[in-house]
Amino acid sequence: MSGILAGIRLREAGIDDFVIYEKAHDLGGTWRDNTYPGLACDVPSHVYSYSFAPNPEWSRRFSPGPEIHRYLTRTAEEHGIRERIVFDREATACSYQDGRWQLEFADGSRDSVDFVITAVGVLHHPNMPEIEGAASFEGALFHSARWDHSVPIEGRRVGVIGTGSTAVQIVSAITEKVETLTLFQRTAQWIMPGQNPAYSEDEKQRYREDPAAIDHLRTELDLSFTRQFSDALIGSESPGMKRIEEMTRQHLEAKVLDPELRDRLRPDYRAACKRLVVADGFYEAIQQPNAALVTEEIECIEPAGVRTRDGVLHELDVLVFATGFRAHDFMRPMRITGRAGKTLDEAWDPTPRAYRSVSMPDFPNFFMIVGPHSPVGNFSLIEISEIQVGYILKLIERVRESGSGEICARPEATDRFNASIREAMKGTIWVTGCNSWYLDANGIPATWPFTVQTFRDEMAEPDWADFETIPAA
Ligand code: NAP
């Protein structure tokens, strides 16, 4: 999503000398990798769209994953970006030498460039938990982001480990198809109801004929969805947060009839502390007669299934790890070395950090889309990426116009920025006592603790005093 965007925006800015390297055989990132049943985006489709490529054809408020993948593919093709992508070319190293970035690839090839923009996404590296005996399982076992479509699930005993947004979508989609569905829950999740009506043919026709109607809808969704979430999450005691807590609580109370099951599904932490799950259909699915919620801790995996600490063996044919991603790896395992041999691991010890999510001291002319402390959450990452790409282009333009050789954030500006982030985190819902992928190794959320509007405002124009530029040699 972000690489396609960068290509389109570079071209619009008159910069045509670029290459997009892609390690896989197709474009689409998360929407290429994830193909699990029930895959959808819980951000409304008309805001989960590029601002320059409105799509009157979205089928639903929250459209399914394959439709999003087709949208990205079509947008890339319409803007001539597909032919600019070198597929099956995994970058393994990137080092700054004599004013240029030297790139190395897994196939042994190399390139040398003036600027690097990373567009590698956040939720990218599957988290495969080390559960004893996993290799001995005689059924099929795979991660949700590597769904094995050669394995039939119809009429079979399927287990799912995890209760995040992914697991909730899978369980909602497959329970009626499988013989038994066993959901292994380590931590319960608050779930926000997310009604998902289809757009009627009349509505689509209106959007086709009148692009302003889509703009209008995007503005409405921005007010009702993005702002509502963004303002609430950063104020753990805000009225918006209280409303979210009440809605999720009522959702559970109204939908789950058995008090014992309801108790087991009720989290012991506050709503939205973990990334809020937005979904309809999960509570219905888990109450089906062929579904079981297992809250006993997993002891091990055996050839026939999963054994829990109470000694019960849950026999399975298929086991899905819906266990999330290693969110703090960002561009790694790529080996990135900046000025004077400084490595990314050194710069990010003990935790990933950047200046306004896009730039880092000692890594000149190196820019990140969706880098550390980007506003990730229940918002459109497409909008966030557009803002970042706009900002990055201004930095590149500065170098080109001034004739300087390099630009990157100043260390003191980066320290100041990160100190303000840490201070603001104290008031957010993410630090109210839960475990989540938002938290880094030190328990600090790696997200944006201000409103999305603040991000828009602060990223509208670089504060040039916060950057150092060095004249070309
Ligand atoms: P996730 O939210 O990180 O959830 C992972 C789940 O696996 C958690 O329930 C976790 O339990 C469990 N888990 C991990 N290791 C385990 C272990 N060893 N034993 C038992 N349980 C284990 O991952 P996700 O559901 O894939 O979602 C990741 C993110 O992707 C979401 O937060 C969201 O941002 C994005 N996403 C978005 C959509 C969408 O509609 N936009 C859909 C899917 C995903 P604990 O809670 O106890 O750690």
Side-chain angles (χ1 to χ4, degrees), residues 104-426:
E104 290 174 33
F105 299 90
D107 62 3
S109 59
R110 291 168 177 273
D111 196 357
S112 173
V113 299
D114 295 312
F115 298 95
V116 173
I117 300 176
T118 63
V120 298
V122 192
L123 302 166
H124 171 215
H125 304 286
N127 170 42
M128 290 297 281
E130 286 177 18
I131 303 176
E132 192 193 322
S136 72
F137 183 56
E138 285 174 351
L141 189 164
F142 46 82
H143 189 272
S144 55
R146 301 285 181 271
W147 194 275
D148 185 346
H149 292 276
S150 71
V151 175
I153 55 164
E154 284 76 10
R156 302 184 82 196
R157 300 165 302 174
V158 178
V160 175
I161 299 181
T163 51
S165 302
T166 301
V168 163
Q169 290 182 343
I170 293 172
V171 169
S172 309
I174 70 171
T175 300
E176 64 180 18
K177 299 181 185 145
V178 302
E179 183 185 323
T180 59
L181 186 290
T182 309
L183 178 63
F184 296 92
Q185 170 184 287
R186 184 165 69 180
T187 312
Q189 282 273 6
W190 289 110
I191 301 178
M192 181 96 161
Q195 286 163 1
N196 192 12
Y199 286 111
S200 67
E201 197 41 47
D202 282 354
E203 284 172 304
K204 289 186 202 169
Q205 190 57 28
R206 188 154 52 85
Y207 294 141
R208 281 178 208 127
E209 287 168 359
D210 180 13
I214 299 186
D215 289 345
H216 182 70
L217 178 63
R218 280 169 65 93
T219 308
E220 255 179 28
L221 287 167
D222 179 48
L223 290 172
S224 65
F225 187 86
T226 312
R227 290 207 190 168
Q228 184 196 358
F229 269 120
S230 111
D231 295 1
L233 300 178
I234 60 163
S236 59
E237 303 307 323
S238 64
M241 197 58 242
K242 301 283 178 205
R243 266 196 305 279
I244 290 174
E245 288 184 300
E246 190 50 25
M247 284 170 85
T248 52
R249 196 189 60 74
Q250 275 182 10
H251 189 208
L252 173 66
E253 301 295 328
K255 288 278 174 77
V256 183
L257 306 177
D258 172 8
E260 193 264 342
L261 179 64
R262 201 162 58 219
D263 280 349
R264 291 199 295 139
L265 285 168
R266 185 181 295 112
D268 60 1
Y269 57 90
R270 294 182 59 189
C273 180
K274 285 174 179 286
R275 199 258 192 198
L276 195 59
V277 177
V278 184
D280 258 0
F282 171 74
Y283 289 140
E284 287 82 348
I286 201 67
Q287 292 176 89
Q288 293 305 307
N290 67 333
L293 178 75
V294 175
T295 48
E296 281 292 330
E297 196 184 335
I298 294 171
E299 183 175 328
C300 62
I301 297 175
E302 298 184 3
V306 172
R307 191 173 294 278
T308 40
R309 292 248 177 244
D310 54 2
V312 175
L313 174 67
H314 304 270
E315 293 190 33
L316 300 168
D317 303 308
V318 180
L319 180 57
V320 180
F321 280 4
T323 44
F325 300 86
R326 301 196 309 275
H328 306 287
D329 284 5
F330 292 94
M331 301 83 80
R332 297 173 286 190
M334 213 186 292
R335 283 172 285 115
I336 299 171
T337 312
R339 238 175 353 215
K342 182 161 189 175
T343 66
L344 186 71
D345 284 343
E346 285 164 357
W348 281 4
D349 182 15
T351 193
R353 64 203 297 277
Y355 172 80
R356 293 195 180 175
S357 72
V358 294
S359 177
M360 294 179 287
D362 292 322
F363 294 80
N365 301 351
F366 183 102
F367 311 115
M368 295 169 285
I369 310 177
V370 200
H373 294 294
S374 295
V376 294
N378 293 84
F379 330 115
S380 169
L381 213 50
I382 298 189
E383 188 202 343
I384 301 304
S385 303
E386 284 196 28
I387 293 170
Q388 290 169 330
V389 169
Y391 191 94
I392 290 168
L393 280 172
K394 290 193 167 105
L395 302 181
I396 293 176
E397 275 308 315
R398 181 81 166 193
V399 173
R400 282 158 48 100
E401 280 168 10
S402 67
S404 56
E406 34 183 80
I407 191 165
C408 60
R410 291 183 186 278
E412 57 277 18
T414 307
D415 290 346
R416 213 169 42 239
F417 174 75
N418 279 274
S420 75
I421 290 267
R422 271 175 181 259
E423 189 52 34
M425 280 304 170
K426 292 176 186 163

